[in-house]
Amino acid sequence: MGVKEILEGGKLGREEIISLLEATGDEKQLLFRKANEIKLQEIGNRVHFRGLVEFSNICGKDCYYCGIRRSNSEVQRYNVTDEQILDAARFAHENGYGSLVLQAGELESPAYTTRIEKLLKEIKKLSKGKLGITLSLGEQVEEVYERWFKAGAHRYLLRIESSNPDLYQRYHPSDTLHDYARRLTSLKTLQRIGYQTGTGVMIGLPFQNSGDLADDLLFMKHFDIDMVGMGPYIEHQHTPLFQYRHELLPIEQRFDLALKMIATLRILMKDINIAAATALQAIDPLGREKAVKVGANIIMPNITPGKYRNDYALYENKPCVDEEPEECKNCLDVRIQLADGEIGYNEWGDSKHYQKRLAGK
Ligand code: 5AD
Ligand code: FES
């Protein structure tokens, strides 16, 4: 079946998804247009902000793709103070961002759990409950997820990275810290506790083909996920996966594939939140805006205190590391308008999918 027929027809199975992901030229444009149409119909043109605070790059894990992995001794490690995190939260609140994302390298300890719990309560207090909070702090035991939920976090992002267990294993060390089964259990636990649950994958990894990516999208669908953040894989010279750089698609094609993934996911899951990943902007200065035009509805402006931004380098060529949050805001305002979007200031912008899931629809 051709792309046109697939887009007109009903069923979107593995084979059809592969055809969409492999579309080029006019067919690709058809896919992009269809995705945009569906987005406007289902959720409108509003884009919501999640102010991103990357508060520490200290990480206990050693993922083979990630620039801040434990074994990378070239990284200057940092840990933003609680006061600075609260300042960033205040900035987000006062500037109408609606929500905040707390992200960091992955750590598990009782002291860490308590630190986050206290911060959550403080942020709720300083914003009088108005600021929505998303956590992106990796795998934790159930009790920790529960404590953080009770303290005020209501969304959690935990990327599955690759839904194929064999591939997952090739991108991570073989030990209990990096176990696919635990990642999956964690996602299920988050969903059961009541978090709006987000996941995502990297696109254009070595050894990965369009069939794997189609499976990733179907995984999100079967998991009934509420939000997705996915972006192109970008090699980092101080990581083990760097040795496979000659096997990668050229970077422009990885970018293009990421846009096709977003567009296809919008058609597959019409009412979820889809973020325009920062990694897109690392490749193309207008990357996030292009994602908004093909189905994305969430942007995560970086509001990490300036001097630390350069050190949260998961991949190379990270964008906007020199800008202060104020400049970012003005810049984004214009950019989103250019992409025919409108920013939903002071709104949480929860995924419609989640609202329906809660109402049992
Ligand atoms: N390229 C692109 N994305 C990356 N991430 C980590 N390393 C890279 C990389 N080299 C993504 C992972 C992780 C998120 C925080 O950043 O998907 O979940
Ligand atoms: Fe950060 Fe433009 S988005 S300066």
Side-chain angles (χ1 to χ4, degrees):
M1 219 194 303
V3 165
K4 190 158 179 278
E5 290 74 38
I6 294 173
L7 293 174
E8 282 165 0
K11 179 176 169 277
L12 210 52
R14 188 171 191 271
E15 288 314 308
E16 289 80 14
I17 293 177
I18 293 175
S19 299
L20 296 183
L21 296 179
E22 290 179 352
T24 55
D26 288 348
E27 291 195 324
K28 184 178 78 180
Q29 294 310 325
L30 272 182
L31 163 67
F32 287 168
R33 270 207 297 279
K34 179 77 178 182
N36 192 38
E37 225 175 83
I38 290 183
K39 184 183 94 165
L40 294 176
Q41 251 167 36
E42 299 285 328
I43 56 173
N45 74 336
R46 225 170 260 185
V47 171
H48 288 100
F49 279 172
R50 315 280 183 240
L52 175 64
V53 189
E54 295 160 335
F55 66 84
S56 171
N57 64 355
I58 301 170
C59 191
K61 285 189 149 182
D62 228 3
C63 308
Y64 293 154
Y65 43 83
C66 187
I68 63 165
R69 62 198 299 269
R70 186 180 58 203
S71 300
N72 183 6
S73 53
E74 311 273 328
V75 185
Q76 180 86 20
R77 302 287 168 175
Y78 72 87
N79 192 0
V80 172
T81 64
D82 289 357
E83 214 29 68
Q84 284 173 313
I85 296 177
L86 296 177
D87 283 346
R90 229 168 266 128
F91 170 86
H93 179 51
E94 284 163 8
N95 286 277
Y97 277 24
S99 297
L100 188 74
V101 181
L102 294 181
Q103 189 176 74
E106 229 174 292
L107 288 180
E108 287 185 77
S109 82
Y112 187 69
T113 303
T114 307
R115 178 186 183 202
I116 302 299
E117 190 176 42
K118 278 194 184 145
L119 279 168
L120 289 168
K121 288 181 181 160
E122 290 285 334
I123 294 168
K124 280 285 154 191
K125 205 159 89 191
L126 71 84
S127 69
K128 302 194 179 62
K130 293 226 170 73
L131 205 53
I133 312 175
T134 307
L135 294 179
S136 175
L137 303 174
E139 292 167 25
Q140 305 285 341
V141 297
E142 178 163 359
E143 186 220 328
V144 173
Y145 285 149
E146 260 170 8
R147 276 175 60 185
W148 291 347
F149 187 71
K150 282 199 192 106
H154 79 294
R155 306 187 190 108
Y156 206 105
L157 287 173
L158 183 65
R159 288 190 178 180
I160 191 77
E161 314 296 359
S162 169
S163 64
N164 174 333
D166 296 330
L167 281 182
Y168 189 92
Q169 244 218 303
R170 297 183 78 165
Y171 307 138
H172 299 92
S174 315
D175 58 30
T176 48
L177 253 192
H178 300 84
D179 183 24
Y180 179 84
R182 186 176 185 223
R183 179 68 62 112
L184 202 58
T185 309
S186 300
L187 260 182
K188 286 185 185 151
T189 305
L190 289 165
Q191 210 174 40
R192 193 179 58 242
I193 291 174
Y195 280 98
Q196 230 178 107
T197 308
T199 195
V201 293
M202 282 174 287
I203 299 157
L205 284 158
F207 328 122
Q208 184 191 49
N209 59 38
S210 3
D212 298 316
L213 290 170
D215 289 335
D216 286 340
L217 296 181
L218 289 168
F219 169 88
M220 295 167 192
K221 171 97 179 163
H222 293 145
F223 209 93
D224 205 15
I225 215 78
D226 302 304
M227 38 192 215
V228 170
M230 55 182 173
Y233 162 68
I234 303 175
E235 64 273 31
H236 188 297
Q237 57 173 327
H238 298 128
T239 61
L241 272 199
F242 194 65
Q243 63 186 296
Y244 302 107
R245 63 192 176 283
H246 306 297
E247 294 175 32
L248 300 173
L249 286 173
I251 194 98
E252 306 77 34
Q253 285 183 38
R254 265 178 270 160
F255 177 85
D256 209 47
L257 193 52
L259 288 187
K260 288 190 271 185
M261 281 285 280
I262 291 175
T264 306
L265 180 64
R266 177 55 73 201
I267 298 172
L268 194 64
M269 301 189 76
K270 300 181 170 34
D271 55 3
I272 62 168
N273 276 349
I274 304 180
T278 314
L280 288 165
Q281 199 194 354
I283 300 179
D284 178 336
L286 287 176
R288 292 181 304 183
E289 291 74 9
K290 288 182 181 169
V292 166
K293 278 205 160 173
V294 302
N297 66 320
I298 300 289
I299 288 200
M300 294 161 61
N302 195 331
I303 57 167
T304 308
K307 64 176 173 172
Y308 298 113
R309 292 236 210 129
N310 263 322
D311 296 320
Y312 199 82
L314 305 175
Y315 42 83
E316 285 161 297
N317 199 19
K318 222 178 137 209
C320 286
V321 285
D322 300 325
E323 314 296 338
E324 284 305 317
E326 280 84 1
E327 296 164 40
C328 240
K329 187 182 172 225
N330 296 335
C331 167
L332 269 171
D333 222 86
V334 176
R335 284 162 168 254
I336 296 307
Q337 281 174 31
L338 289 175
D340 305 324
E342 176 198 347
I343 299 168
Y345 284 113
N346 296 304
E347 296 172 344
W348 277 18
D350 279 341
S351 96
K352 284 211 169 139
H353 188 79
Y354 172 75
Q355 293 165 356
K356 286 187 205 159
R357 200 158 65 72
L358 269 195
K361 283 181 209 156

